[in-house]
Amino acid sequence: MVSRSRKRSRKSALAFLILFLAVAPTANALGYLEQIQVETFSAMREVERYQLKIAEKHYNKNEFRIALDEYDKFLTLYEKSPGAPYAQLMWSHCQAKLRFVNTAIRDGFQSVIDYWPESQEAILACYLIGRSYDNIGQTEKAESGYLKTVNDHPEHYVATLAKVNLLHLAKVQKNEKKRMLLLANLTFETPRTKANSQYLVNATRELAAKQLYAGEYGEAIRALETTYKDGEMVKVYNDIAKGAIDHYLRGEKTRKQGIELADSVVGMVLTLIPTVIESDADRASARDAWHRVIDLYARTGRHSKVLEIHEKMIIILGEDDGLLGGLATFYRNRKLYDKARETYRRFKDKVNGLLLIAGLFCEENRYAEAIEIYQSLADRIVGQGLLAGLFRQLEKYDDAITCYKILMEIDRENINLHRWAIGECFESSNRLHNAIAAYGLVDDFPKTYFKMASCHRKLKEYKQALMLYTQCKVHAPSAPDAFMAIGFTYEEAGQASNAVRAFQLLCKNYPKSNHASRAHSHLQSKHGINVTLGGAKEE
Amino acid sequence: MLSFRQLRSLSLRAWQPEWRPITLSVIATILWLLFWCDWSAWYLLPPWLHWIGFTGELGVVAYWLYWPRGCNRTLYRGILSIGFVPFWGWLTFASSSMGWHPLEKFFANVGLAAAFIIGLCWAVWYIELRSRHYELLAGQSPRVNVKRWNPLDLAAWYYGVKRQRLDQSALTLLSYCLCFLFVVLIAGKISGCREIYESPLGGGKPKKIRQTVKIQQVIKRKFVINPYSAVVFNPPPIEDIKLQIRKLTDNKYRVGYGNNPGSGFATGTTRGKVRFIRLEYAGGDWDQDLERNADLNMLLQYGIRTKQQVSDRNETREIARLKNFPAHKSPPFVYITGQRNLAIGSNDQKILREYLIEKHGLLFADNGGSGGWGGQFLQLMKEVLPTVEAKIIPLDHPVHRVPYEIPFLPYVAAHGGKDAIGWTMQGRLVAYYHPGDIGDAWADDHAGVSRKITEYCYQTGVNVMFYAHAEYHKWLAALEKEAGNQR
């Protein structure tokens, strides 16, 4: 008896595993409103599952016309199958994707409700009718669809989705009263599940933010308390209050209110700091709270208090690079560069400190000191890279090229990048032949070809440029770019008729691309050519 | 008041040979004014009658220029000055009728400036003449200490004691400018304040077009061959025998809305016509493809396909002029296109909003050549209709189904996506945005796109125009019904 029951349980486990493997890949690709229930799938016959999987394969590949036929076939062959409502639902999804939304509603979603009113798919269809109307701008019908979903299936996940969409419609219609009612409903009345939790959290935060803007601080806290507890609630309250504080501070009359709100938030945040700081967790929470206080004081323009807290943090928590960095940034923002440098020098990570000091010198236009620091760095790859960047910024291209050449020797892994950078330096300093040679060494087709061709165009060597662009046409994704460039090259070479031909070919061969749009306009505005060819292709 | 006898004698005198030219000229001038009003606002007369009217007035001017030779120079100059107005009108009308819109604008502006200068010259001349006359009178008569008010008299008290002539000139210029401005405003109002749009009277149903093809007779050539004949025959194979089929093709379907005979709309009028109005705006190329007859071709195609009465010319209007149409005689749709900047001020936005919502209009927008224009149009619509979201119009929306079933959205170049975008209010489409330069396909050379795409572009245009008209007349019919119920 025992062995038989074991065998049976093994068999059922195997069957479940097979079933899971069969469903899992498709379930991952499809959204919640497009998935079949596992129970329904397990109740179907093998042939039915096979037919559904064929249809789904096309659906996932965005071949909606074929998928539509496959779902249609399923409905014809297996009308009595438990998967029929799902097939009908997916048929409707296909119609909607093919831009036949009214057909999807009338012949699809509504049919699911009419023929299989007790099915899970009927509930989804009820919501999808509202959403489909919403997608085509029929707001009145969409609203009634959503309301029907909320009334008929109040406990279901789609009811939350319907409420969220109603909220969006109210926002668009600028109906504040309705919006507040929906937010309150989502915050206080809608039962929370794992699935709808994120929507409800967002609604809670939105409601709290609106109440803060309206000066109803207590109500905002009450709303947040439905979702967050203690310390977490204070942090979220702080995050949301920032926007309201900025809003109040902008107005001359409301400025005082802004400062008061900031102070009240500071009071709440300070309660998060443990009275005794012993563990790392205590230190982390104290640091986070102080940073929040610093941010609030900075918003209200009380810089002396900001400095006070920075110094207090360093004294209580001990000196570390993070805290020193914060203090240095404060000095840097106040343009107290010497004090900032002094603070960077106290860094434990000396290299990082030096790099930040060099950055500060660059900010002050004291490049010689910055170069000296970069040259003194022990990590030559980093030092030479930064040096080359600085030289390029200062338009000292020869020095930059020297750095890149050194980098080519010491950092061979990224040799292509350094060659490319040398090419760019030559191009920027107008030594175009050298630039072409440098780009030619980089193995990155068709990017290098485009660059080389652009240099040839600057040198008025149009024939060479055209040859390179013609080769780029082989690379299918770059072909419209190449056609466009060929057109412009012919234009620069004074061969207007060839340019027109290139632009027309672009319009004709790639009518969907953005380049075709540009070529079409260019032909009309520059050449006065109205016969641009092109045009839509049947899809 | 004149008595009947006095009127009779006046009319008899007017037809006497010495007064006849003046009487005829006055009549011609009144007719010219009526033609001008019709051309710029009423749209009741056909263009050939406009040509006759405007050119005929030039004949009157020529007669008066010929007539006074030898008479005094002032009178001749006066005739020249008055004759300038019909000449200016003719130039503007002719350039407009020929479709040379930049030239029309040029003539309109230059003519206005010339009219201003001519009028100013005459004002200065007259003031100078009169003030000299008063100076002469003052020199002849003894000095009387009376406060003078006449602005033509240099001794008027408000000119003071010093620089009287300068003050008089300044007053003349100011008064003339005000008068000219007033006249221009009045003229502008005349041409704009009473615009009406009337759709053709008729009926029909908003259904797909289906052609009825009935084969009337099949004539088949018969070859009668005697199988025992001594002559060898070579009868042609069966597939080479041509069937002569006489088809009776008739479009039984009437495109429209209502139960009246003929294609049209139940709330239309017998003189009503479907018109194609393009909106003018500042900052860009609103007149794109206009000289290539894009609008006119579309309008004519609409007439051919729907059998509704259509105007024989396309029109353009500034957005501000949309407010001149009364709600119940307003154009059901207006067209806007371009590829550069779309600068529409807040006042025009307000007018557009009123047109779309209160006058039940539809804005048919076509991206003429850049993503930038499309973005600007979407932004404009956000400001015009802030509480309505832009949504993709499905292919099974009535605007893509009736009277033609469009299988996919046709475009010339995809400047701003590949889907039509719509703004819907209370179930009605108030704006239709085509992203792919559909107007280029309507133009004379169809931008070189395939015949099939051109055909679909025309069909899309017909659908949008018909949708706008049908929705507008549904609204009018509903209003009429409501009014009937209240009575």
Side-chain angles (χ1 to χ4, degrees):
Chain A
M1 281 294 284
V2 175
S3 67
R4 197 178 288 172
S5 70
R6 264 188 197 169
K7 267 184 190 171
R8 201 179 291 158
S9 68
R10 260 186 218 163
K11 265 185 186 174
S12 61
L14 194 68
F16 185 77
L17 186 72
I18 292 166
L19 184 68
F20 178 77
L21 289 173
V23 175
T26 55
N28 280 342
L30 298 171
Y32 174 81
L33 299 166
E34 300 160 327
Q35 284 178 29
I36 189 168
Q37 282 196 309
V38 177
E39 299 79 32
T40 316
F41 198 78
S42 62
M44 283 159 63
R45 289 181 296 154
E46 188 55 41
V47 281
E48 294 165 359
R49 285 184 206 158
Y50 181 74
Q51 179 59 36
L52 267 194
K53 285 194 76 63
I54 297 266
E56 256 171 41
K57 190 182 85 184
H58 291 294
Y59 186 86
N60 286 332
K61 283 186 191 169
N62 293 346
E63 295 165 352
F64 299 114
R65 211 171 282 280
I66 305 169
L68 182 87
D69 290 340
E70 292 296 336
Y71 284 119
D72 207 21
K73 199 158 109 187
F74 183 98
L75 287 164
T76 314
L77 293 172
Y78 317 114
E79 202 185 343
K80 304 284 177 198
S81 161
Y86 173 73
Q88 181 69 63
L89 188 86
M90 290 308 289
W91 181 90
S92 322
H93 276 302
C94 290
Q95 288 284 11
K97 299 270 186 192
L98 289 166
R99 303 257 182 270
F100 294 101
V101 184
N102 291 310
T103 313
I105 296 168
R106 200 179 48 240
D107 301 344
F109 297 131
Q110 192 57 50
S111 299
V112 176
I113 297 169
D114 294 343
Y115 286 94
W116 300 279
E118 301 304 322
S119 67
Q120 159 76 8
E121 284 76 13
I123 301 172
L124 300 185
C126 185
Y127 164 72
L128 284 164
I129 286 176
R131 201 186 70 171
S132 303
Y133 277 127
D134 195 0
N135 286 344
I136 58 170
Q138 301 274 3
T139 43
E140 290 82 9
K141 287 181 181 172
E143 274 178 353
S144 71
Y146 289 142
L147 286 174
K148 190 175 174 350
T149 311
V150 173
N151 293 333
D152 293 357
H153 316 287
E155 303 295 321
H156 200 275
Y157 171 61
V158 290
T160 309
L161 293 181
K163 283 180 199 171
V164 170
N165 289 349
L166 279 170
L167 183 66
H168 175 74
L169 285 177
K171 194 175 174 181
V172 171
Q173 291 160 356
K174 302 195 192 310
N175 189 338
E176 285 305 308
K177 199 179 162 188
K178 196 171 167 188
R179 204 171 153 197
M180 289 304 278
L181 279 173
L182 281 162
L183 283 172
N185 181 288
L186 284 164
T187 307
F188 298 109
E189 290 164 33
T190 308
R192 296 194 180 211
T193 61
K194 199 178 170 186
N196 71 7
S197 160
Q198 194 51 48
Y199 292 108
L200 302 187
V201 167
N202 290 344
T204 305
R205 291 174 77 110
E206 198 179 332
L207 179 67
K210 287 194 79 63
Q211 286 166 337
L212 275 172
Y213 275 85
E216 298 165 355
Y217 308 142
E219 290 297 308
I221 291 170
R222 201 168 75 83
L224 288 175
E225 276 171 351
T226 59
T227 309
Y228 304 102
K229 298 276 169 268
D230 308 327
E232 193 63 25
M233 196 279 289
V234 174
K235 285 178 190 173
V236 174
Y237 183 69
N238 174 22
D239 292 340
I240 294 169
K242 282 179 197 172
I245 291 168
D246 289 345
H247 169 73
Y248 288 133
L249 290 173
R250 273 197 289 272
E252 201 55 49
K253 287 179 185 171
T254 54
R255 192 174 165 75
K256 198 182 161 193
Q257 201 180 342
I259 292 170
E260 278 171 10
L261 177 60
D263 285 341
S264 77
V265 180
V266 166
M268 287 171 77
V269 171
L270 285 175
T271 60
L272 299 177
I273 300 169
T275 41
V276 183
I277 299 167
E278 285 175 342
S279 64
D280 284 347
D282 292 342
R283 294 164 68 82
S285 64
R287 181 189 283 240
D288 177 60
W290 269 318
H291 274 130
R292 284 172 184 277
V293 173
I294 284 172
D295 175 63
L296 288 164
Y297 280 140
R299 272 171 203 278
T300 47
R302 287 176 285 182
H303 301 295
S304 59
K305 290 208 169 187
V306 172
L307 184 60
E308 200 179 292
I309 291 173
H310 271 302
E311 283 166 352
K312 194 175 168 184
M313 277 166 78
I314 291 169
I315 292 164
I316 296 173
L317 300 174
E319 206 171 85
D320 68 40
D321 287 358
L323 294 178
L324 288 171
L327 181 63
T329 308
F330 169 77
Y331 286 132
R332 204 170 176 166
N333 291 341
R334 317 279 315 147
K335 300 215 182 300
L336 300 166
Y337 293 116
D338 286 332
K339 284 195 171 180
R341 253 191 301 276
E342 201 183 296
T343 316
Y344 284 137
R345 281 203 185 95
R346 284 154 65 190
F347 268 39
K348 280 178 190 154
D349 183 351
K350 292 291 171 198
V351 176
N352 190 28
L354 276 174
L355 288 176
L356 287 163
I357 289 171
L360 214 55
F361 279 129
C362 289
E363 215 171 291
E364 290 179 84
N365 295 338
R366 289 161 64 179
Y367 297 110
E369 280 112 322
I371 290 168
E372 206 176 302
I373 291 173
Y374 290 146
Q375 279 172 340
S376 70
L377 286 177
D379 188 341
R380 285 187 71 205
I381 296 176
V382 174
Q384 290 297 323
L386 290 166
L387 206 54
L390 182 59
F391 283 135
R392 281 178 75 174
Q393 193 188 324
L394 299 172
E395 297 185 359
K396 292 181 175 176
Y397 295 111
D398 285 329
D399 291 334
I401 289 166
T402 312
C403 291
Y404 285 126
K405 280 183 179 165
I406 295 169
L407 279 169
M408 277 167 65
E409 284 169 20
I410 60 176
D411 180 27
R412 297 199 71 82
E413 271 180 28
N414 296 313
I415 197 161
N416 269 344
L417 285 178
H418 303 314
R419 278 180 183 146
W420 185 268
I422 289 173
E424 283 180 333
C425 286
F426 278 127
E427 198 181 343
S428 302
S429 55
N430 219 20
R431 284 172 285 178
L432 297 168
H433 284 297
N434 292 346
I436 293 166
Y439 287 134
L441 293 173
V442 181
D443 180 23
D444 189 2
F445 178 79
K447 205 175 149 192
T448 45
Y449 277 46
F450 274 107
K451 267 285 186 190
M452 285 156 72
S454 126
C455 292
H456 279 301
R457 274 167 70 184
K458 284 181 193 165
L459 288 164
K460 301 196 174 175
E461 295 169 353
Y462 300 116
K463 208 173 170 184
Q464 286 91 327
L466 286 168
M467 273 166 64
L468 287 165
Y469 284 136
T470 309
Q471 288 179 63
C472 291
K473 284 198 295 191
V474 181
H475 186 245
S478 307
D481 273 317
F483 269 110
M484 197 80 192
I486 286 170
F488 285 125
T489 312
Y490 274 127
E491 239 174 47
E492 285 164 22
Q495 298 175 28
S497 60
N498 283 337
V500 168
R501 185 77 196 128
F503 290 130
Q504 283 179 330
L505 275 174
L506 173 54
C507 290
K508 195 176 179 181
N509 295 339
Y510 308 96
K512 287 183 192 174
S513 75
N514 290 335
H515 291 83
S517 160
R518 268 186 68 200
H520 173 82
S521 314
H522 187 75
L523 277 170
Q524 286 186 327
S525 53
K526 177 88 192 255
H527 298 277
I529 300 278
N530 295 313
V531 181
T532 58
L533 306 178
K537 298 267 184 289
E538 198 157 2
E539 286 160 26
Chain B
M1 286 292 283
L2 291 170
S3 67
F4 177 72
R5 189 173 289 176
Q6 281 171 319
L7 268 174
R8 192 161 171 268
S9 69
L10 205 68
S11 60
L12 283 173
R13 256 180 73 191
W15 288 109
Q16 279 171 5
E18 65 270 26
W19 287 98
R20 198 177 294 157
I22 294 171
T23 312
L24 285 173
S25 301
V26 168
I27 292 168
T29 307
I30 292 167
L31 279 175
W32 181 83
L33 276 170
L34 289 173
F35 276 122
W36 182 66
C37 286
D38 184 75
W39 173 66
S40 56
W42 300 341
Y43 312 111
L44 301 173
L45 303 174
W48 60 267
L49 216 56
H50 288 147
W51 275 103
I52 290 173
F54 283 109
T55 316
E57 186 66 15
L58 286 186
V60 176
V61 174
Y63 169 79
W64 280 105
L65 286 177
Y66 172 77
W67 172 80
R69 273 191 188 162
C71 75
N72 83 49
R73 289 178 71 180
T74 312
L75 184 64
Y76 188 70
R77 281 175 190 158
I79 291 166
L80 266 180
S81 302
I82 294 168
F84 167 76
V85 178
F87 181 66
W88 167 35
W90 186 86
L91 281 176
T92 315
F93 159 76
S95 51
S96 167
S97 299
M98 302 297 276
W100 302 330
H101 296 283
L103 205 61
E104 178 198 351
K105 214 165 202 173
F106 171 78
F107 282 135
N109 292 336
V110 169
L112 194 68
F116 178 82
I117 291 164
I118 291 168
L120 187 64
C121 290
W122 279 106
V124 170
W125 172 79
Y126 179 71
I127 296 286
E128 186 62 25
L129 195 75
R130 296 307 297 166
S131 66
R132 268 189 208 167
H133 168 73
Y134 283 110
E135 265 184 315
L136 210 64
L137 277 182
Q140 285 168 358
S141 58
R143 272 181 172 272
V144 185
N145 201 8
V146 180
K147 207 173 190 179
R148 294 182 189 183
W149 284 89
N150 189 351
L152 302 174
D153 190 351
L154 277 174
W157 65 271
Y158 40 80
Y159 290 141
V161 202
K162 286 181 184 174
R163 294 180 300 180
Q164 291 147 319
R165 198 166 288 279
L166 184 68
D167 289 349
Q168 193 190 37
S169 303
L171 185 71
T172 308
L173 185 67
L174 185 72
S175 318
Y176 173 74
C177 285
L178 287 174
C179 291
F180 190 81
L181 199 67
F182 181 72
V183 170
V184 167
L185 284 177
I186 291 290
K189 281 280 170 193
I190 286 169
S191 64
C193 70
R194 290 192 300 126
E195 284 197 80
I196 54 164
Y197 182 103
E198 289 179 323
S199 302
L201 181 68
K205 285 176 185 171
K207 279 186 180 173
K208 289 169 200 166
I209 284 183
R210 283 197 180 85
Q211 278 197 330
T212 313
V213 180
K214 188 177 166 188
I215 297 170
Q216 203 176 34
Q217 194 183 3
V218 179
I219 304 161
K220 198 173 176 181
R221 283 179 69 191
K222 287 178 184 168
F223 294 89
V224 182
I225 299 162
N226 178 4
Y228 303 109
S229 169
V231 183
V232 178
F233 288 97
N234 288 317
I238 294 294
E239 57 267 25
D240 284 357
I241 300 171
K242 284 183 182 170
L243 292 176
Q244 289 182 1
I245 303 170
R246 284 188 194 155
K247 280 182 188 171
L248 180 72
T249 305
D250 187 19
N251 187 356
K252 299 280 185 191
Y253 174 72
R254 286 185 301 132
V255 184
Y257 184 76
N259 297 320
N260 296 323
S263 291
F265 303 93
T267 42
T269 60
T270 46
R271 65 184 173 186
K273 282 173 183 175
V274 169
R275 285 151 59 185
F276 197 107
I277 299 173
R278 181 187 283 228
L279 291 183
E280 298 174 18
Y281 56 86
D285 49 345
W286 62 268
D287 55 349
Q288 198 192 36
D289 297 332
L290 199 62
E291 76 286 357
R292 288 163 57 215
N293 297 319
D295 301 7
L296 186 62
N297 289 349
M298 184 61 245
L299 183 62
L300 297 177
Q301 285 289 337
Y302 181 84
I304 292 164
R305 287 154 193 262
T306 61
K307 293 182 180 169
Q308 290 175 11
Q309 288 290 317
V310 295
S311 169
D312 43 18
R313 63 178 178 142
N314 55 304
E315 297 161 38
T316 66
R317 289 283 182 291
E318 286 161 358
I319 294 172
R321 284 180 66 178
L322 284 178
K323 73 175 174 193
N324 298 334
F325 291 96
H328 299 175
K329 296 273 183 187
S330 175
F333 85 99
V334 284
Y335 177 73
I336 188 168
T337 188
Q339 64 167 319
R340 290 185 205 138
N341 287 329
L342 182 66
I344 293 177
S346 56
N347 201 32
D348 283 350
Q349 285 176 16
K350 201 177 150 192
I351 291 166
L352 213 49
R353 189 178 307 126
E354 185 193 288
Y355 167 73
L356 298 178
I357 300 170
E358 285 160 35
K359 294 181 180 171
H360 247 66
L362 182 141
L363 180 62
F364 184 2
D366 176 27
N367 188 339
S370 74
W373 193 91
Q376 288 177 57
F377 180 75
L378 295 180
Q379 187 55 38
L380 167 75
M381 289 310 292
K382 262 187 192 170
E383 280 154 25
V384 173
L385 302 171
T387 58
V388 184
E389 271 188 309
K391 299 278 183 183
I392 289 171
I393 306 173
L395 286 168
D396 56 358
H397 189 283
V399 81
H400 288 147
R401 297 275 106 175
V402 180
Y404 290 104
E405 206 170 308
I406 314 288
F408 60 93
L409 190 78
Y411 57 83
V412 173
H415 296 307
K418 294 168 199 85
D419 292 303
I421 293 172
W423 287 259
T424 309
M425 287 186 81
Q426 291 159 351
R428 180 179 69 90
L429 211 55
V430 293
Y432 180 97
Y433 166 73
H434 190 283
D437 211 348
I438 194 172
D440 232 12
W442 300 340
D444 283 344
D445 42 29
H446 312 303
V449 297
S450 67
R451 187 178 286 185
K452 195 175 166 187
I453 296 298
T454 307
E455 173 61 21
Y456 283 143
C457 286
Y458 275 130
Q459 290 185 358
T460 308
V462 170
N463 280 11
V464 176
M465 287 170 72
F466 176 71
Y467 176 85
H469 279 84
E471 286 295 321
Y472 185 74
H473 288 280
K474 268 183 209 171
W475 174 62
L476 287 184
L479 286 180
E480 274 182 12
K481 201 176 170 187
E482 202 176 300
N485 288 343
Q486 278 174 1
R487 263 185 251 129

